Amino acid sequence: MEKKEIYLESLKTATPQEGRELAIKLARKSVAAIQTDGEIRKKLRNDYAQDTAQLIASSQVIATEFQTIAMANNFWK
């Protein structure tokens, strides 16, 4: 059985900035899990980098991840 990298030990972060960085990482890891071929991801990057709708959709995914992280951190209260 293949040993997998553990990149998400907790949703807890010290600050909202760390939470946002984690949200971006989670979004990127999700894309890599869906499209496992790194070369194909590199080829597609130029397409979405110039497509406003795709960039907005990516931002929405990050916002959803950040919302989850913020809730897990009790909104850093």
Side-chain angles (χ1 to χ4, degrees):
M1 188 169 175
E2 179 184 330
K3 192 170 189 173
K4 295 194 178 210
E5 170 194 13
I6 297 175
Y7 62 90
L8 182 62
E9 294 188 15
S10 175
L11 292 178
K12 298 288 185 177
T13 63
T15 65
Q17 177 68 34
E18 288 179 13
R20 185 175 183 282
E21 291 167 7
L22 179 58
I24 292 168
K25 182 174 187 170
L26 291 175
R28 294 182 73 181
K29 291 287 190 177
S30 293
V31 169
I34 294 165
Q35 177 46 266
T36 57
D37 188 322
E39 289 303 312
I40 291 175
R41 286 195 312 272
K42 285 179 188 175
K43 288 178 185 176
L44 295 173
R45 205 168 278 150
N46 192 47
D47 292 341
Y48 68 76
Q50 298 181 35
D51 184 333
T52 306
Q54 289 187 53
L55 291 171
I56 291 169
S58 297
S59 295
Q60 290 171 331
V61 170
I62 292 169
T64 301
E65 295 284 13
F66 182 71
Q67 182 179 28
T68 301
I69 294 163
M71 287 188 289
N73 285 279
N74 196 27
F75 300 96
W76 296 277
K77 290 183 180 176

